[in-house]
Amino acid sequence: MQTPWDHRYAERTKRMKSSAIRELLKLTEQPDVISFAGGLPSPDVFPVKEIEAACVKVLREQGAQALQYGSTEGYLPLREMITRHTIRYNLPVTSDNILITSGSQQALDLLGKILLNHGDRVVVESPTYMGALQAWNAYGAEYVSVRCDENGMITDELEEALRTGPKFIYILPNFQNPTGSTLATERRMKLVELADKYGVPIIEDDPYGQLRFEGEHLPSVVKLDGILHGDGDACYRGNVIYLSTFSKILSPGLRLAWVIAPPEVIRKLALAKQGADLHTATFNQVVAYEVGHGGFIDQHVKTICSVYKERRDVMLDALDEFMPEGVNWSHPKGGLFLWATLPEKISTETMFQKAVDQKVAYVPGGSFHPNGGGDNTMRLNFSYACPERIIEGISRLGMVIRQELNI
Ligand SMILES: Cc1ncc(COP(=O)(O)O)c(C=O)c1O
């Protein structure tokens, strides 16, 4: 329907279309639908009591400061807490390397704002995180996709993508959204070397790295880059912009995340952020610091991991039990998602309505592929539904797929 507003909108809004998928996903909000579609953490692991206690303490002891405007870079004690956390992983940083943002989603948008001109190319994994594409579409990004397998981006195919002269590489090395795959260490090293060789920066988006259920943590891309560029300086000045968030380790409703980058990039991002929201909510930052500074988050991450590991295992067992032959899925060692590949003749987008009719939902995989493909794939979230609903939901999904295959 035409409205008088249509001719008033800026050119860039033409690239800000709501995807068909987002419209479809609205159907999954009915309470009787078992949804594996959202990327939601489990509300069962929100530290409500700890946050309540912190709110009371903050208001009593530093109410005036916590309710006041703050600096754009973020609440200094919180930035220092993140600095200490990062140094633990052997990446030398100072608080000049840290910017607090209103969710990593804001960081993605600000990065688009400071780095992308219309028509600039971005190298992405295919599939990749839809929210990044949504942020960068508005700035006119074009995508050069590199295929992935169970060990993440196939870095042997990266060099060809780098020859197209991209502005940056966007990578999700740990328990990737959407596939759940983790980038192998050799590939991390190759990525850093190639990025250095071609002079292309890397954006490392890492919301899930802490949520490892088994195996050893792999070195972050920013750390490997720090080794390559390190000159003994306590301040990171390399080629990677690293993002992480409190969304999956405390609560997404706090809208708190952080960027690690060379100080000059932090300064530029802070300028962009000033224009967006002046600063991230002071109160939320002070509360997160109050909750986190005594080591609570480390403990809490263990609780989250044990709940999600159980749910992942329940989903893997249910897939074994209910999926027909020809359906394959990933076995992530952490995070929130796994990725299923169906026989090629099935379009998961076409099948979606039938699944919702059977009261189960997923995200069709095509929407994570910026340049097409993945029509027979789907993302399944295992963190949100409780074990009983996971079993019931996968059983319903198995039935829908069998019907689609006429078996
Ligand atoms: C890969 C990735 N990046 C960024 C975000 C946004 O996170 P935040 O809640 O910090 O905005 C998400 C959220 O699910 C994500 O999966």
Side-chain angles (χ1 to χ4, degrees):
M1 198 185 63
Q2 290 278 316
T3 81
W5 288 94
D6 290 337
H7 70 279
R8 298 172 180 155
Y9 295 127
E11 219 27 50
R12 81 179 68 83
T13 63
K14 293 194 181 131
R15 298 180 57 107
M16 291 162 63
K17 292 202 182 80
S18 167
S19 68
I21 295 307
R22 291 216 185 259
E23 296 305 312
L24 283 178
L25 292 180
K26 288 188 187 150
L27 299 172
T28 68
E29 284 160 16
Q30 306 152 21
D32 54 344
V33 172
I34 299 181
S35 180
F36 302 127
L40 304 186
S42 168
D44 303 343
V45 295
F46 290 157
V48 177
K49 270 204 300 240
E50 288 76 7
I51 292 184
E52 184 190 4
C55 286
V56 171
K57 185 161 188 275
V58 164
L59 284 172
R60 267 202 204 127
E61 293 175 9
Q62 32 177 338
Q65 186 193 1
L67 295 175
Q68 188 53 281
Y69 284 114
S71 79
T72 305
E73 288 77 6
Y75 179 54
L76 186 59
L78 184 67
R79 288 161 64 214
E80 286 170 347
M81 181 179 107
I82 293 166
T83 302
R84 289 193 294 277
H85 167 82
T86 309
I87 290 172
R88 255 182 13 187
Y89 289 91
N90 292 322
L91 176 69
V93 290
T94 72
S95 48
D96 291 341
N97 291 117
I98 315 268
L99 174 75
I100 305 292
T101 57
S102 306
S104 283
Q105 191 61 37
Q106 183 184 49
L108 293 169
D109 183 58
L110 297 177
L111 286 164
K113 206 170 182 181
I114 69 161
L115 293 175
L116 290 174
N117 292 317
H118 195 93
D120 276 351
R121 296 191 179 93
V122 176
V123 172
V124 295
E125 297 157 281
S126 185
T128 189
Y129 171 54
M130 231 192 286
L133 304 178
Q134 200 180 11
W136 297 333
N137 285 346
Y139 298 103
E142 305 287 339
Y143 303 101
V144 183
S145 32
V146 179
R147 291 187 310 137
C148 295
D149 62 17
E150 63 281 8
N151 292 315
M153 178 187 271
I154 303 172
T155 41
D156 283 347
E157 299 180 9
L158 175 60
E159 191 147 14
E160 197 184 324
L162 290 174
R163 289 204 189 99
T164 66
K167 207 59 177 286
F168 57 80
I169 305 165
Y170 174 59
I171 189 121
L172 296 88
N174 295 313
F175 321 121
Q176 196 234 25
N177 180 1
T179 63
S181 70
T182 288
L183 188 67
T185 305
E186 324 72 84
R187 290 188 180 181
R188 291 173 191 235
M189 294 195 314
K190 178 117 193 234
L191 167 69
V192 166
E193 281 161 25
L194 282 174
D196 185 56
K197 177 173 164 194
Y198 284 84
V200 177
I202 300 169
I203 296 178
E204 176 179 23
D205 191 0
D206 186 25
Y208 308 109
Q210 299 273 307
L211 304 183
R212 177 176 274 282
F213 317 149
E214 58 204 47
E216 295 293 314
H217 286 290
L218 302 186
S220 61
V221 174
V222 65
K223 179 185 162 187
L224 293 173
D225 180 77
I227 295 169
L228 190 71
H229 289 108
D231 52 5
D233 196 341
C235 185
Y236 174 71
R237 297 181 195 280
N239 196 33
V240 177
I241 299 170
Y242 172 93
L243 316 181
S244 195
T245 177
F246 289 103
S247 287
K248 308 300 188 309
I249 54 175
L250 270 187
S251 135
L254 287 172
R255 307 309 301 130
L256 276 182
W258 67 95
V259 180
I260 298 175
E264 65 268 33
V265 178
I266 295 291
R267 283 196 292 275
K268 193 63 97 180
L269 282 169
L271 281 178
K273 185 171 162 65
Q274 255 162 33
D277 65 354
L278 296 182
H279 62 79
T280 295
T282 319
F283 184 71
N284 295 10
Q285 295 186 66
V286 182
V287 166
Y289 171 72
E290 193 52 47
V291 172
H293 78 278
F296 168 75
I297 297 177
D298 283 347
Q299 273 313 108
H300 188 57
V301 161
K302 287 185 193 149
T303 310
I304 298 174
C305 284
S306 82
V307 171
Y308 290 4
K309 178 180 187 301
E310 185 201 357
R311 293 181 182 195
R312 178 208 56 181
D313 291 343
V314 167
M315 187 173 274
L316 289 174
D317 288 348
L319 287 163
D320 271 336
E321 188 175 345
F322 296 113
M323 285 298 143
E325 203 146 310
V327 179
N328 298 301
W329 50 90
S330 62
H331 292 68
K333 294 195 166 79
L336 270 63
F337 305 109
L338 62 77
W339 185 247
T341 306
L342 278 50
E344 289 213 350
K345 62 178 174 179
I346 294 188
S347 155
T348 52
E349 194 164 339
T350 311
M351 193 178 76
F352 185 81
Q353 184 61 57
K354 296 173 199 166
V356 173
D357 291 344
Q358 295 304 319
K359 308 289 180 204
V360 62
Y362 54 83
V363 187
S367 43
F368 299 100
H369 293 74
N371 298 320
D375 296 337
N376 60 328
T377 56
M378 61 170 72
R379 188 188 77 180
L380 297 171
N381 165 275
F382 54 75
S383 59
Y384 183 69
C386 65
E388 299 70 39
R389 281 173 68 88
I390 291 178
I391 296 169
E392 175 58 28
I394 295 294
S395 139
R396 291 179 194 174
L397 190 57
M399 205 174 64
V400 174
I401 296 173
R402 278 174 207 280
Q403 277 169 1
E404 203 70 357
L405 290 168
N406 292 319
I407 50 174

